[in-house]
Amino acid sequence: MLANLPSDESTVNYQMVLGDQQVAMNPLIGESITLVYAGEIHCQNCQRLTKKSYSGGFCFPCSQKLAQCDLCFMKPETCHYAHGTCREPEWGVQVCMQDHIVYLANSSGIKVGITRISQMPTRWLDQGATQALPIFRVSSRYHSGLLEVMFKNHVSDRTDWRKMLRGPAEKIDLLEQRNQLQAECADEIKLLQEKLGENAITPLTDEQTLEINYPVQQYPQKVSSMNFDKTPEITGKLLGIKGQYLIMDKGVLNIRKFNGYQITMKA
Ligand SMILES: [Zn+2]
């Protein structure tokens, strides 16, 4: 599911990708929809049929050879590009050896995260964040991982998705939180800068907090998750969309989890 934030408003716009088609989802909120999984999963990389989805939408061989499926992509502090063992060094140069942003966001409470510059604000929309603030610019994914590890001692790096889906997050003064974090970690950051070079880590002090609204008509009382593997046909009233979740009257559906699943939709 694609999410974008139109420049003239602050409510996220969603499109569901179904084969070659993109279906605008916001107009369907309040309507009854049916999603049917026909039992076919195609690898997001080689398009081959796969019985099971690995690493979020790939066939088993691709999950073993793609750099984006390597553990270091989820844990950038373990990047091994410098050791010459990156699974796909050229891809690594394009994706990981680029400037990254370390940010504070509020999805179910405050959290720290990292993203490529080109993935802003998509990354935040995918997490269901209602506020986001870039706090550091760093020169590689590895460096962003080092900072994130440092900040984990001060701020969570998780989203509580149930809480995120139960209602809007309480507002947080992210600017104040940033100042506090930058102050608390000043000595550690200085040490890292000495080690990695002055330009590797740049604190951002002029950024503004981005406020994000989601098209949600009604939040669920109880958050129960639905699953195409258990229920190939899901029908219900679409109450809203937040992050990568469709909020329906019968439960929530994490669309991201079913990357590569061949789905048809009736509205
Ligand atoms: Zn594949």
Side-chain angles (χ1 to χ4, degrees):
M1 192 159 55
L2 305 174
N4 68 290
L5 199 56
S7 53
D8 53 339
E9 47 189 320
S10 61
T11 300
V12 183
N13 218 334
Y14 285 98
Q15 278 91 29
M16 184 95 98
V17 181
L18 298 164
D20 305 333
Q21 277 190 318
Q22 283 185 19
V23 181
M25 292 303 286
N26 293 42
L28 298 178
I29 292 166
E31 308 286 325
S32 173
I33 61 170
T34 299
L35 296 157
V36 181
Y37 163 50
E40 282 192 6
I41 305 172
H42 291 270
C43 171
Q44 298 284 283
N45 182 55
C46 69
Q47 312 306 327
R48 261 191 303 237
L49 267 178
T50 172
K51 280 216 176 86
K52 243 184 93 181
S53 160
Y54 296 88
S55 297
F58 300 95
C59 68
F60 184 72
C62 286
S63 77
Q64 298 300 298
K65 76 173 193 231
L66 294 174
Q68 63 183 298
C69 299
D70 200 347
L71 196 65
C72 55
F73 201 61
M74 293 302 289
K75 290 176 169 284
E77 68 275 18
T78 63
C79 171
H80 44 92
Y81 181 89
H83 303 298
T85 51
C86 182
R87 286 180 178 181
E88 296 175 278
E90 279 174 32
W91 184 89
V93 166
Q94 274 173 32
V95 175
C96 302
M97 311 311 277
Q98 299 288 336
D99 280 11
H100 276 62
I101 291 289
V102 180
Y103 61 83
L104 290 177
N106 179 13
S107 39
S108 55
I110 190 165
K111 64 157 271 170
V112 62
I114 66 158
T115 180
R116 259 175 291 157
I117 288 181
S118 62
Q119 292 301 104
M120 293 192 299
T122 310
R123 179 96 185 112
W124 304 326
L125 309 186
D126 283 351
Q127 290 174 341
T130 45
Q131 296 174 287
L133 175 69
I135 58 168
F136 284 91
R137 185 178 179 129
V138 298
S139 56
S140 72
R141 192 172 180 86
Y142 173 56
H143 294 158
S144 70
L146 295 180
L147 276 187
E148 194 182 28
V149 168
M150 180 192 296
F151 296 150
K152 272 181 205 175
N153 297 322
H154 303 263
V155 178
S156 164
D157 65 329
R158 311 261 149 179
T159 297
D160 176 348
W161 62 270
R162 287 178 190 278
K163 195 173 166 201
M164 184 271 284
L165 290 171
R166 269 202 299 265
E170 234 172 88
K171 283 224 174 187
I172 297 173
D173 186 343
L174 292 183
L175 293 172
E176 191 190 306
Q177 295 289 328
R178 173 200 67 195
N179 294 344
Q180 199 180 323
L181 191 65
Q182 287 179 345
E184 277 172 6
C185 299
D187 292 342
E188 282 176 275
I189 290 163
K190 215 170 146 203
L191 280 176
L192 257 190
Q193 281 172 326
E194 279 163 18
K195 198 173 134 199
L196 304 171
E198 194 76 9
N199 296 325
I201 301 172
T202 312
L204 300 173
T205 50
D206 292 334
E207 297 289 326
Q208 292 303 312
T209 302
L210 180 68
E211 307 273 343
I212 305 163
N213 294 308
Y214 294 87
V216 180
Q217 228 168 49
Q218 196 187 324
Y219 282 100
Q221 298 278 329
K222 196 173 134 248
V223 178
S224 56
S225 66
M226 300 185 288
N227 186 329
F228 284 120
D229 293 320
K230 283 190 204 134
T231 319
E233 182 167 330
I234 294 174
T235 297
K237 187 174 165 191
L238 183 62
L239 303 176
I241 310 174
K242 191 176 184 189
Q244 280 287 317
Y245 287 87
L246 297 184
I247 302 170
M248 295 169 71
D249 55 354
K250 298 200 178 80
V252 300
L253 185 65
N254 182 359
I255 291 294
R256 158 72 46 84
K257 216 167 134 186
F258 303 101
N259 265 344
Y261 281 55
Q262 202 152 31
I263 309 285
T264 51
M265 182 169 70
K266 281 175 275 178

